[in-house]
């Protein structure tokens, strides 16, 4: 009887007091959580650990919704804002202030402080809240994020690359390359296309892409009067968007790892299949080529381009410490090309080394690349390249050993703005993590959005954009959303589209965000004011994002990428053409070829008009005017009164291939004076 009463009492207590511990997983992989405790206690993980493992638990815990609710209730006893929309308030505040005040450092710091205040809201009294906020901002924020091994590697890579660029400038290599490029790249269009092509070729890593393309192409774009705002847009658009569709890149490795960890049979295979559906990345490349070739700009970018073409000070350019150096007549183009090529090679070798390629158990090139640590690989590649550059320059006797050593502090100084913004951006991400931003975003997908299956890719795209924009990280967005997407939409055609939408949205948000590390790197690479870069790039990125959203509405119904992708590209081109017709103003309206086209129309002498038109078409084809074409026109106009001033203006223009508004007005005046004499 007593035994029966004891059993009944135990059963009743179990019924009245639900078990606090839950077990997720089976066998050796099983994890026990105590959802009544915030932190780990007596070797049992707590509620905070449960929500931190959101991506794993949403797949492995059959009672996830009930357990998540219990865990959040426990965590919110110490942090009432955890997992709510307040989690993304700090980055949104920082972004808003940066765009309004045009000052990025204070804006980021205010956002970080707001995160610390929200985190410490439950502390006792004013002094408790103050102490908690300061500790969270400085200790858990700045110190922890900057001390992270991966982040330290990126900072070292920045400093080493800055030193290498400073060394190149001391040799006169950058100036020599600029002169060579000015001879071979004859037009603004050519300079922009060359920047895009170089960015596409350096697809290994986005950080490396931004800084290398910026260092190499700045002298070229400066010579052809391409604004720093436009250069930074081209650099940024050939960084993440290229890396996310390149099978051999650090980004492919990251996405494959997240997918494999979430249960996909082959993360790399999933990545490859998702490439044709990555509309944002592909349409960004289409847009770049369109705006360069069509000479079409809109939004704030137009003001910067027109000012630069007019010969006015570049409104977005930063003073370049590494370029304010003496001219070295001994510098040659090879002094830039050889170290840069070696740097590319060394960084690739460094990345596969970090992935175990040279170990006893060689996994193969692709596997080693997918397992690589980009931070370690880039640091190894850059330090080897820097040593090579010192030896190379000393052997060529273009600079002294002392000059090489002086390049280190100068390169560091040039990278200080990028390093400061990166450190603040990493800390701000730490604030959003501590407030449970990923839980808030993830619940949106598993909650209201889950029922709209046909529209799920478009919804996932928008959510990924918001998350990446708010946190400034596309990799973090992959890590949060890809496992959730694979759990919510397992094994179907829709899975590929949804994962692509996740990747595209993450890249889009990263592309737009002022606190994104790649956006910061693009500003540093172009030596462009960061807020100027963000504000001029945003209209382009949002235009592509809008078309991509429509494409993700269509894709689930079409399913085939070879139908959906042409539809998306056609829609993108139609949108750009419509914008150009409706409110666009071509920069090339101030170009010499258009002036000649109008001159040919006014000439009544058919033979002469045909000759002028022929030269005009050739100029329009390559977008430039050179001395040979001026000489041809000189022969055509030989003996005509008033042609001397006309040809003198053209010779001025031919020196840089670009016509300023003042030169354009002088050409127009000469044209009006010549027209009656050519009839």
């Amino acid at each position: 009887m007593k035994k029966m009463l004891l059993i009944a009492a135990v059963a009743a207590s179990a019924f009245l007091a639900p078990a606090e511990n839950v077990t997720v997983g089976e066998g050796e992989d099983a994890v026990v959580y105590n959802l009544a405790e915030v932190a780990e206690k007596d070797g049992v993980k707590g509620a905070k650990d449960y929500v931190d493992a959101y991506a794993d638990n949403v797949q492995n815990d059959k009672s996830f919704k009930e357990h998540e609710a219990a865990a959040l209730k426990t965590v919110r006893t110490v942090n009432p804002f955890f997992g709510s929309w307040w989690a993304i308030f700090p980055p949104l505040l920082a972004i808003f202030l940066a765009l309004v005040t045009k000052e990025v450092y204070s804006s980021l710091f205010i956002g970080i402080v707001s995160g610390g205040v929200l985190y410490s809201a439950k502390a006792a009294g004013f002094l408790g809240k103050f102490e908690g906020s300061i500790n969270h901002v400085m200790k858990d924020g700045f110190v922890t994020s900057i001390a992270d091994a991966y982040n330290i590697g990126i900072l070292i890579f920045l400093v080493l690359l800055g030193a290498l660029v400073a060394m190149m400038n001391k040799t006169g290599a950058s100036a020599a390359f600029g002169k060579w490029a000015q001879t071979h790249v004859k037009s603004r269009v050519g300079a922009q296309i060359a920047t895009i092509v170089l960015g596409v070729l350096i697809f290994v890593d986005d950080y490396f892409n931004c800084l290398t393309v910026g260092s190499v192409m700045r002298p070229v774009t400066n010579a052809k009067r391409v604004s720093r705002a436009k250069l930074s847009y081209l650099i940024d658009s050939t960084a993440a968007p290229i890396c996310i569709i390149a099978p051999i890149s650090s980004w492919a490795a990251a996405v494959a790892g997240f997918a494999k960890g979430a249960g996909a049979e082959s993360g790399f295979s999933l990545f490859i299949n998702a490439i044709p559906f990555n509309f944002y990345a592909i349409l960004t490349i289409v847009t770049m080529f369109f705006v360069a070739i069509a000479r079409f700009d809109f939004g704030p970018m137009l003001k910067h381009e027109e000012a630069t073409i007019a010969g006015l000070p570049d409104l977005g350019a930063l003073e370049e410490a590494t370029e304010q150096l003496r001219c070295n007549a001994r510098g040659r183009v090879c002094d830039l090309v050889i170290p840069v090529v070696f740097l590319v090679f060394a960084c690739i070798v460094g990345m596969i080394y970090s992935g175990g390629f040279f170990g006893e158990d060689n996994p193969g090139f692709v596997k080693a690349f997918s397992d690589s640590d980009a931070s370690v690989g880039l640091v190894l590649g850059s330090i080897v390249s820097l040593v090579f550059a010192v030896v190379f320059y000393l052997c060529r006797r273009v600079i002294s050993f002392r000059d090489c050593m002086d390049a280190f502090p100068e390169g560091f100084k040039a990278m200080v703005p990028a390093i400061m913004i990166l450190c603040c951006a990493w800390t701000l991400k730490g604030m959003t993590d501590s407030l449970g931003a990923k839980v808030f975003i993830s619940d949106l997908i598993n909650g209201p959005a889950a029922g709209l299956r046909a529209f799920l890719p478009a919804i996932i795209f928008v959510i990924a954009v918001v998350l990446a924009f708010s946190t400034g990280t596309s990799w973090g967005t992959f890590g949060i959303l890809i496992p959730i997407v694979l759990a919510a939409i397992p094994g179907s055609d829709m899975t590929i589209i949804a994962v692509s939408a996740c990747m595209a949205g993450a890249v889009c948000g990263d592309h737009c965000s002022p606190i994104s590390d790649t956006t910061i790197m693009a500003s540093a690479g172009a030596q462009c004011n960061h807020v100027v870069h963000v504000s001029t790039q945003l209209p382009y990125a949002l235009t592509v994002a809008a078309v991509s959203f429509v494409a993700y509405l269509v894709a689930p119904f079409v399913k085939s990428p070879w139908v959906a992708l042409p539809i998306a590209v056609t829609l993108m081109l139609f949108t750009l053409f419509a914008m150009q017709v409706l409110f666009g103003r071509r920069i090339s309206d101030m170009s010499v070829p258009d002036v000649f086209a109008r001159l040919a129309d006014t000439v009544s002498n058919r033979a002469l008009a045909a000759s002028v038109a022929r030269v005009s078409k050739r100029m329009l084809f390559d977008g430039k005017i050179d001395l040979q074409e001026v000489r041809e026109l000189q022969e055509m106009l030989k003996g005509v009164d008033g042609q001397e001033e006309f040809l003198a203006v053209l010779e001025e223009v031919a020196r840089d291939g670009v016509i300023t508004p003042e030169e354009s007005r002088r050409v127009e005046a000469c044209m009006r004076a010549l027209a009656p004499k050519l009839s």
Side-chain angles (χ1 to χ4, degrees), residues 16 156 168 197 262 334 458 464 527 546:
L16 294 172
I156 293 174
M168 288 176 183
V197 170
C334 66
Q527 287 293 304

Side-chain angles (χ1 to χ4, degrees), residues 190-217 231-246 248-249 285 288-289 340 344:
Q192 294 175 64
I193 296 297
T195 303
I196 296 169
V197 170
L198 182 60
V200 170
L201 292 176
I202 303 178
F203 54 79
V204 175
D205 184 76
D206 52 329
Y207 296 159
F208 181 53
N209 179 303
C210 289
L211 296 172
T212 305
V213 175
S215 302
V216 172
M217 294 308 299
L231 175 61
S232 56
Y233 162 68
L234 296 177
I235 293 172
D236 208 352
S237 299
T238 54
I242 293 295
C243 291
I244 199 59
I245 59 174
I248 300 177
S249 72
I285 298 168
M288 278 192 298
F289 277 105
V340 167
V344 174

Side-chain angles (χ1 to χ4, degrees), residues 172 212 314 440 444 598 636:
T212 305
D314 193 326
F440 169 68
L444 286 179
R598 292 195 294 275
M636 294 179 197

Side-chain angles (χ1 to χ4, degrees), residues 588-625:
S588 60
D589 285 345
M590 294 183 292
S591 69
V592 173
D594 288 344
V595 171
F596 279 120
R598 292 195 294 275
L599 175 60
D601 290 339
T602 63
V603 175
S604 59
N605 185 315
R606 291 186 179 181
L608 184 56
S611 299
V612 173
R614 186 177 64 254
V615 173
S616 172
K617 286 179 181 178
R618 196 162 74 234
M619 292 176 185
L620 284 169
F621 177 77
D622 59 13
K624 70 181 192 304
I625 178 172

